Amino acid sequence: MNHIAVAIDGPSGAGKSTIARAAAAQLGFVYVDTGALYRAIGLAACRAGVRGDDAEGVCALLPTLRLELTYVDGTQRVLLDGEDVSEEIRLPEISKYASQVSAIPRVRAYLLDLQRGMAKTHSVIMDGRDIGTVILPDAQVKIFLTASAEKRAARRCLELREKGQEVTHEQVLADMIARDRQDENRAQAPLRQAKDAVRVDTSALDLAQSIEAVLRVIRDKLHQ
Protein backbone atom coordinates (compact mmCIF):
# COMPACT_ATOMS: atom_id res chain seq x y z
CA MET A 1 0.00 0.00 0.00
CA ASN A 2 1.29 3.45 -0.90
CA HIS A 3 1.04 5.81 2.04
CA ILE A 4 0.39 9.53 1.69
CA ALA A 5 2.55 12.02 3.59
CA VAL A 6 1.41 15.59 4.20
CA ALA A 7 4.01 17.93 5.72
CA ILE A 8 2.78 21.07 7.47
CA ASP A 9 5.41 23.53 8.67
CA GLY A 10 5.13 26.97 10.17
CA PRO A 11 5.95 29.20 13.12
CA SER A 12 4.80 28.80 16.71
CA GLY A 13 1.13 29.58 17.28
CA ALA A 14 0.10 29.23 13.64
CA GLY A 15 -2.49 26.62 14.60
CA LYS A 16 -0.61 23.76 12.96
CA SER A 17 -1.57 21.15 15.54
CA THR A 18 -5.26 22.03 15.69
CA ILE A 19 -5.65 22.35 11.94
CA ALA A 20 -3.54 19.30 11.08
CA ARG A 21 -5.41 17.17 13.61
CA ALA A 22 -8.79 18.19 12.17
CA ALA A 23 -7.65 17.66 8.57
CA ALA A 24 -6.25 14.23 9.41
CA ALA A 25 -9.53 13.22 11.04
CA GLN A 26 -11.50 14.20 7.93
CA LEU A 27 -9.11 12.36 5.60
CA GLY A 28 -8.68 9.28 7.79
CA PHE A 29 -4.94 9.91 8.15
CA VAL A 30 -2.81 9.59 11.29
CA TYR A 31 -1.89 12.94 12.81
CA VAL A 32 1.72 13.27 14.05
CA ASP A 33 2.59 16.31 16.17
CA THR A 34 6.39 16.31 16.04
CA GLY A 35 6.62 19.42 18.19
CA ALA A 36 5.18 17.41 21.07
CA LEU A 37 8.25 15.16 20.96
CA TYR A 38 10.63 18.10 21.35
CA ARG A 39 8.42 19.45 24.11
CA ALA A 40 8.64 16.10 25.90
CA ILE A 41 12.43 16.21 25.77
CA GLY A 42 12.29 19.80 26.97
CA LEU A 43 10.08 18.73 29.86
CA ALA A 44 12.51 15.95 30.75
CA ALA A 45 15.37 18.46 30.79
CA CYS A 46 13.37 20.88 32.92
CA ARG A 47 12.52 18.16 35.43
CA ALA A 48 16.16 17.09 35.58
CA GLY A 49 17.32 20.63 36.22
CA VAL A 50 19.19 20.78 32.91
CA ARG A 51 19.09 24.00 30.91
CA GLY A 52 17.52 23.68 27.47
CA ASP A 53 20.60 25.21 25.85
CA ASP A 54 22.99 22.85 27.65
CA ALA A 55 23.58 20.51 24.71
CA GLU A 56 25.84 18.16 26.63
CA GLY A 57 23.42 17.89 29.54
CA VAL A 58 20.38 17.36 27.32
CA CYS A 59 22.13 14.73 25.18
CA ALA A 60 23.16 12.85 28.33
CA LEU A 61 19.45 12.46 29.12
CA LEU A 62 18.49 10.96 25.75
CA PRO A 63 19.55 7.33 26.41
CA THR A 64 17.50 7.36 29.60
CA LEU A 65 14.25 8.51 27.99
CA ARG A 66 11.39 6.45 26.61
CA LEU A 67 9.20 8.48 24.27
CA GLU A 68 6.01 7.11 22.75
CA LEU A 69 3.17 8.46 20.65
CA THR A 70 -0.16 6.76 21.30
CA TYR A 71 -3.66 7.48 20.09
CA VAL A 72 -6.74 7.55 22.31
CA ASP A 73 -10.04 7.98 20.46
CA GLY A 74 -8.07 9.33 17.52
CA THR A 75 -6.24 11.90 19.66
CA GLN A 76 -2.45 11.80 19.92
CA ARG A 77 -1.08 11.43 23.44
CA VAL A 78 2.58 11.77 24.37
CA LEU A 79 4.10 9.40 26.89
CA LEU A 80 7.37 10.17 28.65
CA ASP A 81 8.67 7.09 30.46
CA GLY A 82 5.12 5.74 30.52
CA GLU A 83 3.58 8.96 31.88
CA ASP A 84 1.03 10.88 29.80
CA VAL A 85 2.50 14.39 29.64
CA SER A 86 0.29 15.69 26.82
CA GLU A 87 -0.98 18.62 28.89
CA GLU A 88 2.18 19.50 30.82
CA ILE A 89 4.28 19.90 27.68
CA ARG A 90 2.03 22.79 26.57
CA LEU A 91 3.04 25.07 29.45
CA PRO A 92 4.76 28.31 28.28
CA GLU A 93 8.01 27.53 30.08
CA ILE A 94 8.21 24.17 28.31
CA SER A 95 7.73 25.92 24.96
CA LYS A 96 10.99 27.75 25.61
CA TYR A 97 12.74 24.50 26.48
CA ALA A 98 11.35 22.87 23.33
CA SER A 99 12.77 25.61 21.12
CA GLN A 100 16.17 25.29 22.80
CA VAL A 101 16.47 21.50 22.69
CA SER A 102 15.22 21.40 19.08
CA ALA A 103 18.33 23.36 18.06
CA ILE A 104 20.59 20.53 19.29
CA PRO A 105 21.65 18.29 16.35
CA ARG A 106 21.77 15.07 18.40
CA VAL A 107 18.23 15.67 19.65
CA ARG A 108 16.98 16.05 16.09
CA ALA A 109 18.85 12.91 15.02
CA TYR A 110 17.43 11.02 18.01
CA LEU A 111 13.86 11.75 16.86
CA LEU A 112 14.39 11.41 13.12
CA ASP A 113 13.80 7.66 12.80
CA LEU A 114 10.74 7.79 15.04
CA GLN A 115 9.16 10.47 12.88
CA ARG A 116 10.02 8.88 9.54
CA GLY A 117 8.88 5.49 10.79
CA MET A 118 5.36 6.81 11.30
CA ALA A 119 5.18 7.92 7.65
CA LYS A 120 6.38 4.50 6.42
CA THR A 121 3.54 2.65 8.13
CA HIS A 122 0.62 5.11 7.90
CA SER A 123 -0.78 7.87 5.74
CA VAL A 124 0.09 10.86 7.88
CA ILE A 125 -0.29 14.56 8.35
CA MET A 126 2.84 15.60 10.20
CA ASP A 127 3.42 19.11 11.48
CA GLY A 128 6.49 20.87 12.77
CA ARG A 129 9.13 23.30 11.54
CA ASP A 130 11.30 21.18 9.25
CA ILE A 131 8.97 18.42 8.07
CA GLY A 132 8.94 19.37 4.40
CA THR A 133 12.58 20.41 4.32
CA VAL A 134 14.26 17.69 6.42
CA ILE A 135 12.03 15.00 7.93
CA LEU A 136 9.81 14.18 4.92
CA PRO A 137 11.42 15.93 1.92
CA ASP A 138 9.54 13.59 -0.45
CA ALA A 139 6.09 14.26 1.03
CA GLN A 140 3.40 14.38 -1.64
CA VAL A 141 1.92 17.53 -0.10
CA LYS A 142 3.80 20.34 1.62
CA ILE A 143 2.12 23.30 3.30
CA PHE A 144 3.63 26.30 5.07
CA LEU A 145 1.01 27.46 7.55
CA THR A 146 1.44 30.93 8.98
CA ALA A 147 -0.27 34.04 10.35
CA SER A 148 0.86 37.42 11.64
CA ALA A 149 2.68 37.43 14.99
CA GLU A 150 -0.10 39.57 16.49
CA LYS A 151 -2.80 37.16 15.39
CA ARG A 152 -0.82 34.11 16.54
CA ALA A 153 -0.21 35.70 19.95
CA ALA A 154 -3.89 36.57 20.36
CA ARG A 155 -4.92 32.98 19.61
CA ARG A 156 -2.31 31.48 21.92
CA CYS A 157 -3.24 33.90 24.70
CA LEU A 158 -6.89 32.87 24.46
CA GLU A 159 -5.92 29.18 24.47
CA LEU A 160 -3.78 29.56 27.59
CA ARG A 161 -6.43 31.57 29.43
CA GLU A 162 -9.02 28.92 28.65
CA LYS A 163 -6.70 26.48 30.42
CA GLY A 164 -6.66 28.72 33.48
CA GLN A 165 -3.23 30.27 32.96
CA GLU A 166 -2.73 33.95 33.73
CA VAL A 167 -0.91 35.50 30.79
CA THR A 168 -0.85 38.86 29.04
CA HIS A 169 -0.95 39.45 25.31
CA GLU A 170 2.32 41.39 25.54
CA GLN A 171 4.06 38.52 27.31
CA VAL A 172 2.82 35.90 24.85
CA LEU A 173 3.69 38.10 21.84
CA ALA A 174 7.22 38.70 23.15
CA ASP A 175 7.72 34.97 23.75
CA MET A 176 6.42 34.18 20.27
CA ILE A 177 8.67 36.70 18.52
CA ALA A 178 11.65 35.37 20.48
CA ARG A 179 10.82 31.80 19.49
CA ASP A 180 10.36 32.78 15.84
CA ARG A 181 13.82 34.37 15.88
CA GLN A 182 15.38 31.32 17.51
CA ASP A 183 13.66 28.83 15.18
CA GLU A 184 14.55 30.79 12.04
CA ASN A 185 18.20 31.33 12.96
CA ARG A 186 19.22 28.01 14.49
CA ALA A 187 22.08 26.27 12.73
CA GLN A 188 20.35 22.88 12.59
CA ALA A 189 17.21 22.58 10.41
CA PRO A 190 15.97 26.18 10.76
CA LEU A 191 12.36 27.09 10.10
CA ARG A 192 12.05 27.57 6.34
CA GLN A 193 9.31 27.28 3.76
CA ALA A 194 10.13 24.39 1.43
CA LYS A 195 10.47 25.48 -2.19
CA ASP A 196 7.57 23.26 -3.24
CA ALA A 197 5.31 24.10 -0.27
CA VAL A 198 2.02 25.95 -0.62
CA ARG A 199 1.83 28.94 1.71
CA VAL A 200 -1.44 29.27 3.66
CA ASP A 201 -1.85 32.47 5.70
CA THR A 202 -4.69 32.20 8.22
CA SER A 203 -4.47 35.74 9.65
CA ALA A 204 -7.88 36.63 8.25
CA LEU A 205 -9.44 33.16 8.60
CA ASP A 206 -11.33 31.56 11.45
CA LEU A 207 -10.62 27.97 12.47
CA ALA A 208 -13.18 26.35 10.17
CA GLN A 209 -11.95 28.40 7.20
CA SER A 210 -8.32 27.55 8.03
CA ILE A 211 -9.08 23.82 8.13
CA GLU A 212 -10.93 24.04 4.82
CA ALA A 213 -8.06 25.98 3.23
CA VAL A 214 -5.60 23.25 4.21
CA LEU A 215 -7.93 20.47 3.07
CA ARG A 216 -8.35 22.22 -0.27
CA VAL A 217 -4.59 22.30 -0.82
CA ILE A 218 -4.24 18.63 0.10
CA ARG A 219 -7.07 17.49 -2.15
CA ASP A 220 -5.86 19.61 -5.05
CA LYS A 221 -2.33 18.25 -4.77
CA LEU A 222 -3.44 14.61 -4.51
CA HIS A 223 -5.70 14.89 -7.53
CA GLN A 224 -3.27 16.62 -9.85
Side-chain angles (χ1 to χ4, degrees), residues 13-129:
K16 298 186 300 294
S17 297
T18 301
I19 293 169
R21 185 184 299 109
Q26 291 203 37
L27 295 169
F29 288 9
V30 170
Y31 164 61
V32 183
D33 174 8
T34 62
L37 297 170
Y38 290 102
R39 287 174 177 270
I41 293 176
L43 175 62
C46 181
R47 288 178 170 181
V50 177
R51 295 196 324 273
D53 59 357
D54 177 0
E56 185 176 340
V58 171
C59 290
L61 290 174
L62 296 180
T64 72
L65 303 181
R66 181 162 52 91
L67 287 180
E68 300 172 85
L69 294 180
T70 63
Y71 294 85
V72 178
D73 296 328
T75 299
Q76 176 182 284
R77 308 299 293 179
V78 183
L79 303 184
L80 174 61
D81 298 327
E83 176 191 352
D84 188 336
V85 295
S86 304
E87 303 304 325
E88 192 172 355
I89 60 174
R90 300 297 170 183
L91 295 173
E93 57 266 32
I94 303 305
S95 292
K96 296 177 183 178
Y97 267 89
S99 186
Q100 291 172 327
V101 303
S102 68
I104 301 172
R106 281 177 58 190
V107 171
R108 306 196 73 83
Y110 172 80
L111 293 176
L112 184 61
D113 287 343
L114 176 60
Q115 296 170 96
R116 286 182 173 169
M118 294 292 293
K120 289 179 180 178
T121 55
H122 304 83
S123 287
V124 300
I125 294 184
M126 190 176 294
D127 77 89
R129 285 166 177 72

